[in-house]
Amino acid sequence: MDPLAKSLRVSGLRAGCEHFFRIKARNTLGWSPLSPASAPILTNMLSPPANMRVLRCGVSWLEVAWEPPSPEVLIDNYELQSRGDGVDEHGVPLPWITIGSGIKECRFMVDGLHSLRSFEFRIRGLTTSGWTTFTEPTPTVRTCRRF
């Protein structure tokens, strides 16, 4: 963990539960006492879509697909995001960009891409209770070479 970080992403928490957090700091004098507990933070109980993957790729396109979160969750539509592989001049991962919204099917053709470029994708679904969380990003995939 970066000693200068002011935030931390916590994963593996149980969905739909309240979680409390406490922190402590360390400096040349040692460890501080634990902070008071945070206000309760409720994790999203809407599971993300499953099995996000790239089905096929071409020189200027990629086809991605996924499965609904579960049969009990009624999804109205999906939002797909992508980002290029790499970091900016400050070493920060490139930002996520919404490339498809209002998607009704569990697949999407991403076109207009350049050859030999690498991308990651993630998806979330809209339910009557709100948005699910995003899926974990796909492994990096690269468009094909133009011949």
Side-chain angles (χ1 to χ4, degrees):
M1 182 173 148
D2 177 1
L4 300 177
K6 295 181 180 169
S7 65
L8 175 70
R9 181 181 176 145
V10 179
S11 61
L13 301 175
R14 178 177 283 170
C17 294
E18 286 186 344
H19 298 272
F20 298 84
F21 297 91
R22 298 173 69 181
I23 61 170
K24 61 182 178 175
R26 184 175 176 197
N27 62 24
T28 56
L29 300 176
W31 287 99
S32 71
L34 282 168
S35 69
S38 69
I41 298 173
L42 180 64
T43 53
N44 188 340
M45 52 192 309
L46 301 173
S47 298
N51 197 21
M52 176 71 178
R53 64 207 179 274
V54 175
L55 293 178
R56 301 180 298 150
C57 69
V59 173
S60 62
W61 57 271
L62 296 164
E63 184 179 13
V64 295
W66 57 91
E67 295 166 12
S70 71
E72 301 85 38
V73 178
L74 180 61
I75 301 289
D76 180 60
N77 65 74
Y78 296 94
E79 178 182 78
L80 178 66
Q81 292 186 340
S82 74
R83 71 176 171 191
D85 184 34
V87 295
D88 67 14
E89 64 276 5
H90 304 292
V92 176
L94 297 174
W96 288 102
I97 299 169
T98 299
I99 57 171
S101 58
I103 302 168
K104 298 290 187 181
E105 303 295 322
C106 288
R107 61 178 36 198
F108 188 80
M109 184 70 70
V110 182
D111 56 9
L113 304 173
H114 295 282
S115 66
L116 297 176
R117 297 280 171 90
S118 297
F119 300 91
E120 294 177 298
F121 298 93
R122 68 182 188 176
I123 189 103
R124 67 179 179 168
L126 181 62
T127 73
T128 55
S129 299
W131 287 102
T132 68
T133 55
F134 277 102
T135 59
E136 289 298 315
T138 61
T140 302
V141 63
R142 191 174 201 182
T143 52
C144 298
R145 181 182 188 137
R146 186 176 300 277
F147 291 100

